[in-house]
Amino acid sequence: MRPILMKGHERPLTFLKYNRDGDLLFSCAKDHNPTVWFADNGERLGTYHGHNGAVWCCDVSRDSGRLITGSADQTAKLWNVQTGQQLFTFNFDSPARSVDFSVGDKLAVITTDPFMELPSAIHVKRIAKDPTEQTGESVLLIKGPQGRINRAIWGPLNRTIISAGEDAVIRIWDSETGKLLKESDKESGHKKTVTSLAKSSDGSHFLTGSLDKSARLWDTRTLTLIKTYVTERPVNAVAMSPLLDHVVLGGGQDASAVTTTDHRAGKFEAKFYDKILQEEIGGVKGHFGPINALAFNPDGKSFSSGGEDGYVRLHHFDPDYFNIKI
Amino acid sequence: MAHQGEPTKLRWGELEEDDGEDLDFLLPPRQVIGPDENGIKKVIEYKFDEDGNKVKITTTTRTRKLANARLSKRAVERRSWPKFGDAVREDVGSRLTMVSTEEILLERPKPLGAKTEEPKTSGDPLAQFQKGAVLMVCRTCGKKGDHWTSRCPYKDLAPPSEGFVDKPAASDAAAATAGATKGAYVPPGMRAGAERSSGSDMRRRNDENSVRVTNLSEDTREPDLLELFRPFGPVSRVYVAIDQKTGMSRGFGFVNFVNREDAQRAISKLNGYGYDNLILRVEWATPRAN
């Protein structure tokens, strides 16, 4: 395959997200402007201006009408996807790290970093249908876990919130009361910071990637460990194919060590694993720095990766990818 | 300039000189023609070049429809959304989206059907010679294509006549005179009955047609060098200097050719050749001055 290279960002990529139809790709980077691209040919559709810091995460509503972004400028913003117009700003006292729309797009979960003696927190906001009625009030505020929460997503039927972060523990919270329901046990869980979390397309299980050089597959309801994928690099990003039983892990050596070693030693490929057999299928090379973000097109026929090198690489699979056998 | 006649309130002098982008409104608007039924779209844009001259840029693109692409109605609608943000003033010259020139494959960790990886040639680059083993002649036992002199299993059985050829030539004259005086040590090669000619012949074989390669990358090993030089002709020896302590390459090596012409050709072709991001320096190896 010949990947499409998109160089719209001047700083390292942080997050990638496809809309539900798979025709738009949203990219966030440490420069301040989230960008939307056409996912088929990589043409830039527009940029969202307004943030004043690195943008860590974004999510798009099911109808591709609203975009929510979380940024290090201590805000999360709602945008009109089509025009790039800012609709609302949620202000916090610390950087917003992760955002996720609930099923139905009526709620959003936003996590904030520990900052200036403030602990990290998970906020649940109500998203109004009409942006003029939007308020910044939190429906629910969860505090407790130590260290940064790198990712928080909604569980099935919006009943739970799944969070993971620097303390390497994965937690499931009740989204109504904010009570802690389940915690991954230290024995089978990750040993180091969990950097990324991706739900399967049906939401029945999810994948976490960690700096302990492994990725783990968990059951969403019971939080039991299903599979472990061991690799030889810290994992910064994970994605799951919606079509085949494949998982993709991206990562690489620490960004600070990149310039000191040969690019082959950095292990900057996106690694494909068989979801069930936990065996490596192959690697896709190309980035000149660690991979920070991975996303699968909802049709499963293409995926994109974003790297510390500032590039988004959009890969449309060759036909022979679909009959790979181990 | 085409727009001198147009009434404009702005004076040229009021505009900052170096701020070329502010003048963009003086240019004719962007024109998009097509796409026609063949999917050919023409975009005509104008911009100022460095000298302030107006430049017309016509970009012709052809969009091909994917045969089996099924898009939802909403997605088709989105396709015609107007650009916004930075994408509106997308510079024609700045190609934000490029198709990789490189073909990227999903690299399998092991090729299909292969059971295990071949055992690595354990530090013996010359083992590769095994196939075209004409060159491989053991100087101890004379056997062809089986082993190298240093690995000769019959080493101990052979007369040690050729063992110490690398003695300094300075002892030559001394040995000749000292040969008469009894009790003084005479190197085996210099002793009566030893085939002196064969000794010097071998020495030449080691040094002649030797090419020194410098500025090698640390990753270059002997097999790589062999691969690089073999196209020029039969190679009799490849050597890459390895640091004893660190085990890393010291960045230079030697290649011996069987034929001098081949060596000359290799030098003229590969000197200044970019290999593994470094520019190789290839020259005749000057024999060490004793």
Side-chain angles (χ1 to χ4, degrees):
Chain A
M1 52 198 167
R2 277 188 196 278
I4 298 168
L5 279 65
M6 287 120 85
K7 178 70 181 149
H9 292 289
E10 276 148 29
R11 301 272 329 269
L13 268 285
T14 54
F15 197 76
L16 289 169
K17 179 94 188 174
Y18 282 94
N19 67 342
R20 192 179 69 96
D21 295 323
D23 63 320
L24 298 179
L25 173 65
F26 296 86
S27 63
C28 301
K30 288 185 185 172
D31 64 9
H32 308 164
N33 308 319
T35 302
V36 58
W37 313 79
F38 285 117
D40 49 353
N41 60 1
E43 197 185 334
R44 186 162 76 167
L45 172 61
T47 55
Y48 300 89
H49 289 269
H51 274 303
N52 197 21
V55 181
W56 293 119
C57 193
C58 71
D59 196 16
V60 59
S61 65
R62 190 178 162 95
D63 63 359
S64 304
R66 297 256 188 292
L67 179 75
I68 187 168
T69 54
S71 162
D73 66 1
Q74 314 196 349
T75 64
K77 284 177 193 287
L78 277 173
W79 309 84
N80 182 329
V81 169
Q82 181 175 1
T83 60
Q85 186 200 354
Q86 229 182 94
L87 300 177
F88 192 79
T89 302
F90 299 101
N91 286 302
F92 300 101
D93 298 321
S94 60
R97 177 66 54 172
S98 138
V99 289
D100 193 41
F101 278 127
S102 68
V103 178
D105 301 321
K106 291 210 173 78
L107 297 165
V109 58
I110 303 166
T111 69
T112 51
D113 286 354
F115 186 64
M116 306 261 283
E117 296 179 16
L118 274 169
S120 56
I122 301 171
H123 307 254
V124 177
K125 304 276 184 189
R126 198 171 292 285
I127 305 294
K129 232 190 179 125
D130 184 354
T132 52
E133 292 167 19
Q134 181 67 47
T135 57
E137 276 169 64
S138 288
V139 181
L140 180 72
L141 179 63
I142 302 170
K143 284 182 189 171
Q146 288 298 304
R148 205 162 73 197
I149 301 166
N150 280 328
R151 198 90 178 88
I153 58 164
W154 291 94
L157 302 172
N158 299 342
R159 280 200 187 127
T160 53
I161 291 168
I162 304 160
S163 76
E166 249 175 358
D167 61 358
V169 181
I170 295 152
R171 294 186 174 85
I172 297 185
W173 310 85
D174 188 311
S175 61
E176 287 278 330
T177 61
K179 230 175 65 186
L180 181 64
L181 298 177
K182 282 193 178 71
E183 234 180 11
S184 67
D185 57 296
K186 285 251 167 18
E187 297 285 298
S188 64
H190 283 292
K191 302 288 178 286
K192 283 185 185 166
T193 300
V194 178
T195 51
S196 50
L197 202 161
K199 259 195 292 193
S200 68
S201 52
D202 62 356
S204 65
H205 51 281
F206 64 92
L207 183 68
T208 53
S210 160
L211 297 183
D212 66 6
K213 303 184 180 177
S214 72
R216 280 162 217 257
L217 196 70
W218 308 83
D219 186 285
T220 312
R221 282 168 205 275
T222 60
L223 198 62
T224 43
L225 181 68
I226 308 171
K227 299 281 177 190
T228 305
Y229 312 93
V230 183
T231 175
E232 67 281 5
R233 76 210 61 200
V235 180
N236 295 342
V238 290
M240 252 187 284
S241 168
L243 194 65
L244 302 173
D245 281 333
H246 290 171
V247 299
V248 196
L249 315 183
Q253 65 189 155
D254 199 33
S256 60
V258 168
T259 51
T260 59
T261 47
D262 190 272
H263 69 96
R264 276 166 291 180
K267 309 201 187 304
F268 304 141
E269 309 108 319
K271 283 275 181 208
F272 279 71
Y273 283 76
D274 189 282
K275 195 195 263 181
I276 294 152
L277 302 175
Q278 306 172 60
E279 242 176 82
E280 188 184 324
I281 299 167
V284 174
K285 279 188 195 163
H287 279 289
F288 289 102
I291 292 177
N292 288 342
L294 279 172
F296 241 101
N297 192 309
D299 68 4
K301 289 172 184 164
S302 63
F303 84 103
S304 52
S305 57
E308 192 78 14
D309 55 5
Y311 277 98
V312 179
R313 294 174 73 96
L314 177 60
H315 307 76
H316 292 277
F317 291 116
D318 290 335
D320 56 356
Y321 162 78
F322 300 100
N323 2 315
I324 283 180
K325 287 190 184 66
I326 288 207
Chain B
M1 290 288 145
H3 286 263
Q4 269 179 344
E6 250 177 23
T8 166
K9 279 179 188 170
L10 269 155
R11 286 181 200 160
W12 286 93
E14 284 169 358
L15 296 167
E16 278 180 59
E17 252 183 60
D18 53 351
D19 211 348
E21 277 177 35
D22 284 348
L23 295 172
D24 284 356
F25 63 89
L26 292 168
L27 294 168
R30 198 172 116 121
Q31 238 183 310
V32 182
I33 305 166
D36 61 8
E37 68 278 359
N38 293 328
I40 292 170
K41 187 172 103 175
K42 256 190 193 176
V43 180
I44 301 169
E45 282 172 284
Y46 300 88
K47 72 171 193 179
F48 289 112
D49 68 0
E50 284 160 9
D51 305 324
N53 298 318
K54 199 164 69 180
V55 185
K56 178 182 175 184
I57 301 165
T58 312
T59 326
T60 313
T61 46
R62 185 173 158 196
T63 43
R64 266 186 292 180
K65 265 194 193 141
L66 290 171
N68 54 355
R70 249 175 288 144
L71 287 170
S72 73
K73 222 174 169 182
R74 303 289 295 277
V76 174
E77 216 176 282
R78 282 194 282 268
R79 196 69 237 196
S80 53
W81 276 1
K83 303 263 173 116
F84 60 92
D86 284 343
V88 175
R89 320 186 285 125
E90 199 117 77
D91 214 17
V92 208
S94 69
R95 298 235 175 273
L96 284 178
T97 305
M98 288 174 299
V99 176
S100 167
T101 51
E102 210 180 339
E103 179 76 21
I104 305 274
L105 294 171
L106 187 75
E107 278 175 32
R108 308 297 300 264
K110 54 185 183 217
L112 283 170
K115 273 159 226 138
T116 47
E117 215 175 286
E118 274 178 54
K120 282 266 177 216
T121 45
S122 54
D124 185 12
L126 298 173
Q128 294 202 1
F129 276 118
Q130 299 271 358
K131 282 175 194 156
V134 200
L135 285 169
M136 199 158 71
V137 183
C138 175
R139 293 196 293 271
T140 311
C141 62
K143 210 169 176 183
K144 277 186 191 174
D146 186 55
H147 53 262
W148 292 94
T149 311
S150 58
R151 298 267 169 96
C152 181
Y154 314 112
K155 211 190 306 192
D156 299 333
L157 302 172
S161 61
E162 296 174 350
F164 299 97
V165 272
D166 276 352
K167 277 282 164 197
S171 66
D172 205 332
T177 51
T181 58
K182 282 162 190 94
Y185 172 72
V186 181
M190 300 303 161
R191 276 174 207 157
E195 283 180 276
R196 202 168 293 179
S197 61
S198 83
S200 63
D201 200 38
M202 250 174 48
R203 193 178 145 72
R204 203 179 303 137
R205 192 159 71 189
N206 254 342
D207 279 346
E208 244 181 28
N209 309 333
S210 176
V211 170
R212 179 168 61 206
V213 191
T214 44
N215 206 22
L216 284 171
S217 74
E218 279 183 350
D219 299 331
T220 312
R221 289 287 173 268
E222 278 152 351
D224 305 319
L225 217 54
L226 179 64
E227 195 182 290
L228 185 67
F229 280 89
R230 199 156 41 177
F232 296 98
V235 172
S236 57
R237 182 183 78 124
V238 190
Y239 171 72
V240 171
I242 304 282
D243 195 315
Q244 292 283 331
K245 271 184 203 143
T246 61
M248 305 263 268
S249 165
R250 294 176 60 195
F252 68 91
F254 292 92
V255 178
N256 288 27
F257 280 91
V258 174
N259 303 314
R260 198 178 167 80
E261 301 80 31
D262 296 337
Q264 184 58 55
R265 268 194 308 131
I267 289 171
S268 55
K269 263 274 187 303
L270 289 180
N271 194 16
Y273 178 76
Y275 187 68
D276 210 350
N277 293 331
L278 293 173
I279 307 242
L280 288 190
R281 196 182 146 121
V282 183
E283 59 199 340
W284 287 109
T286 43
R288 202 175 288 163
N290 294 351

